[in-house]
Amino acid sequence: MPSLPIRLGVNVDHVATLRNARGGLLPDPVRAALLAIEAGADGITAHLREDRRHIRDTDMARLKREISKPLNFEMAVTDEMVGIALATKPHAVCLVPERRMELTTEGGLDVVGQQATLAPAIAKFNEAGIRASLFISPDPAQIEMAARLKAPVIEIHTGTWCDALAERNSRSDAEWLRVVEGAKLAHSLGLEVHAGHGLDYATAETIAALPQIMELNIGHFLMGEALFVGLAQAIGTMRAAMARGRAKAGQA
Ligand code: PXP
């Protein structure tokens, strides 16, 4: 298949984490979002968690008002969040599982087990013209159910693959194959395919070579790099890695 450009969504949650560690207003996640866009981000992702541990309601409202690129509103599927998202009218929502005790979003959504909750939420977002993405493991049953529930987009959870690589675990090849096959299956079912979680320069380059993947959402690694080289340079280097990966998709 011909490969289309791949988008980079930058997640600014960790700027809010740093701000909240001290209280007060700094560093400002909206400033990071504006800078990220100037440096080449195609969109901004922020996760309004139930416990508001990083992004707050006012951050989400300001992001919607102040950024010039698409806002991806990451959220758990609760009545409260669905209401806030519908009122905020972001370009997209990414529906994720949420557990209070987790450090980050640890696993994918159980779309099969949660059909009854997800179906009406997806229908509301479809009706409102907000693109709903389901954050799932590259598991064929979950992908097939996402398509049946008429979600327009899935985001493949790359955490297991990235962790296995980082730990030099022999599972990493099998995990990568699951990502490859998952992307192909989702695309064949008419889903737009995104990916994210735990990506760095090397893994972003690798996954950008999959022509079905249209967007990567990256936060933690970029914010960590930003401490050393600045956010603009980190995003520039990430874009270059993604471009190198995408060029390989063209050669396949
Ligand atoms: N996509 C989703 C749905 C996420 O929950 C996260 C983590 O907040 C990311 C992407 C970004 O992951 P990371 O911060 O590891 O780059």
Side-chain angles (χ1 to χ4, degrees):
M1 62 178 284
S3 52
L4 295 164
I6 183 165
R7 298 187 298 267
L8 171 63
V10 172
N11 181 316
V12 295
D13 292 350
H14 294 293
V15 181
T17 302
L18 194 55
R19 174 195 62 193
N20 298 357
R22 257 301 163 90
L25 301 175
L26 302 176
D28 178 11
V30 179
R31 182 178 176 195
L34 293 170
L35 201 153
I37 288 168
E38 215 177 287
D42 298 299
I44 297 297
T45 297
H47 184 175
L48 186 65
R49 293 185 75 106
E50 190 192 358
D51 60 8
R52 309 314 199 256
R53 73 172 68 152
H54 38 57
I55 293 293
R56 298 175 179 146
D57 300 57
T58 48
D59 296 323
M60 205 55 105
R62 285 184 57 219
L63 284 168
K64 166 67 186 171
R65 253 195 336 267
E66 295 182 34
I67 66 173
S68 57
K69 291 277 169 93
L71 172 62
N72 181 23
F73 185 136
E74 200 182 312
M75 53 177 272
V77 193
T78 62
D79 289 345
E80 183 201 15
M81 284 304 153
V82 170
I84 296 173
L86 288 170
T88 305
K89 300 188 174 64
H91 169 79
V93 289
C94 182
L95 307 182
V96 302
E98 211 176 278
R99 283 184 296 277
R100 251 172 210 272
M101 297 311 289
E102 69 189 358
L103 290 176
T104 178
T105 312
E106 282 165 6
L109 266 180
D110 178 9
V111 189
V112 176
Q114 282 190 274
Q115 289 172 56
T117 314
L118 286 166
I122 293 166
K124 278 182 199 160
F125 289 124
N126 284 345
E127 206 172 301
I130 297 169
R131 287 175 76 69
S133 166
L134 307 186
F135 187 47
I136 56 178
S137 298
D139 172 341
Q142 301 291 348
I143 294 167
E144 278 158 14
M145 187 54 73
R148 275 182 52 193
L149 297 186
K150 299 193 168 38
V153 183
I154 61 158
E155 179 167 322
I156 294 182
H157 194 313
T158 48
T160 313
W161 168 54
C162 291
D163 286 349
L165 267 181
E167 293 160 8
R168 298 174 190 275
N169 188 310
S170 55
R171 273 186 307 110
S172 66
D173 285 348
E175 290 299 336
W176 170 242
L177 264 181
R178 266 163 44 89
V179 172
V180 172
E181 293 305 320
K184 282 188 197 160
L185 172 64
H187 183 264
S188 75
L189 294 171
L191 291 157
E192 181 172 314
V193 190
H194 301 175
H197 204 95
L199 294 171
D200 60 11
Y201 297 137
T203 45
E205 178 171 343
T206 303
I207 201 167
L210 300 183
Q212 298 86 6
I213 305 264
M214 300 305 297
E215 178 175 306
L216 300 181
N217 285 302
I218 308 178
H220 188 262
F221 175 79
L222 283 175
M223 296 307 159
E225 276 291 283
L227 292 175
F228 303 108
V229 301
L231 185 56
Q233 189 174 317
I235 289 173
T237 306
M238 182 58 77
R239 285 236 73 124
M242 289 166 61
R244 280 195 304 277
R246 205 48 153 194
K248 289 177 208 152
Q251 290 159 16

